[in-house]
Amino acid sequence: NKLTDLLRGDLAAAGFTETLNFALCSREDVGKRLRNTLDQPLVHIANPKTAEFQVVRPSLLPGILKTLTSNKKMPLPLKLFETSDVVLADKDADSGARNIRYICAVYYNLHSGFEIIHGLLDRIMQLLAINDYSLEGTDSLNHHFRGRSALVRLGNSKVVGSLGVLHPEVLHNFDLINPCSMLELNLEHLM
């Protein structure tokens, strides 16, 4: 898809490294480790071969955090991104699920780097020629640090993503010791 290719090139030019992660993950990765209650239905694998491949990912964040964990001894800062599909349960779809293209980026360093992630959001919106977006502070995202997260809105209504500083418990659950900021956007709402 041309939009994805455009964003990949520009994020790489901004110093971010692309990751490619498995589309399958464990229930623990998208639940307990991210401090989520799993209110939304997940797409389960009927007969998973390992505990690591129980569900189809509803977010790109767990895969990127696992990549950070594997590379945490590399020189800081670590700036990673992934643009790929997530799968959400949808009872109206023929298959019972639908694929949605997302983009997720993280900044991991000795300081949270929220301004880096916010600047990346501004650059993505500039590339897509979207001027009518806003940030709305929220404490409803369990994986974010309280008071340091926001929903990304188009106009005054549609939520298209979130950004913020990850909660210290989430970092601990993924064996990370430094602060980390993240951005995740639903690209289909931006087209």
Side-chain angles (χ1 to χ4, degrees):
N1 149 335
K2 288 183 181 183
L3 174 63
T4 303
D5 291 342
L6 169 75
L7 291 174
R8 279 184 177 128
D10 211 77
L11 267 70
F16 283 75
T17 303
E18 185 172 15
T19 66
L20 297 172
N21 295 298
F22 291 115
L24 301 176
C25 58
S26 71
R27 285 183 52 82
E28 184 181 6
D29 288 344
V30 296
K32 182 181 174 187
R33 291 179 86 185
L34 284 180
R35 302 180 73 227
N36 285 338
T37 57
L38 296 180
D39 294 334
Q40 72 183 34
L42 299 173
V43 177
H44 292 269
I45 304 303
N47 188 16
K49 298 298 180 199
T50 72
E52 287 294 310
F53 300 130
Q54 296 172 322
V55 297
V56 185
R57 63 184 176 185
S59 167
L60 299 177
L61 185 58
I64 288 185
L65 290 177
K66 283 182 162 185
T67 302
L68 270 179
T69 300
S70 298
N71 292 283
K72 64 185 175 185
K73 296 200 189 271
M74 298 298 290
L76 296 176
L78 292 175
K79 301 184 331 184
L80 305 176
F81 80 95
E82 182 176 11
T83 178
S84 191
D85 287 352
V86 300
V87 178
L88 302 178
D90 183 357
K91 60 184 174 192
D92 296 331
D94 293 339
S95 63
R98 61 188 162 93
N99 290 19
I100 302 173
R101 183 63 50 110
Y102 270 43
I103 188 166
C104 183
V106 296
Y107 180 84
Y108 179 74
N109 201 356
L110 297 175
H111 58 85
S112 68
F114 180 79
E115 68 281 0
I116 305 290
I117 288 296
H118 187 210
L120 185 65
L121 170 66
D122 290 342
R123 179 62 182 148
I124 290 170
M125 294 302 191
Q126 181 185 39
L127 282 171
L128 300 176
I130 297 173
N131 298 319
D132 189 21
Y133 71 96
S134 61
L135 299 179
E136 176 186 312
T138 184
D139 287 331
S140 65
L141 303 168
N142 292 336
H143 58 282
H144 286 168
F145 198 54
R146 195 167 174 81
R148 296 186 184 180
S149 63
L151 299 175
V152 180
R153 289 191 179 274
L154 282 185
N156 291 326
S157 59
K158 187 182 278 187
V159 174
V160 296
S162 65
L163 76 159
V165 178
L166 290 175
H167 194 281
E169 185 179 328
V170 171
L171 297 172
H172 176 75
N173 291 342
F174 283 91
D175 296 323
L176 298 170
I177 58 172
N178 292 319
C180 182
S181 292
M182 61 80 62
L183 163 69
E184 190 164 40
L185 297 172
N186 179 334
L187 289 180
E188 293 187 10
H189 288 318
L190 300 177
M191 292 188 221

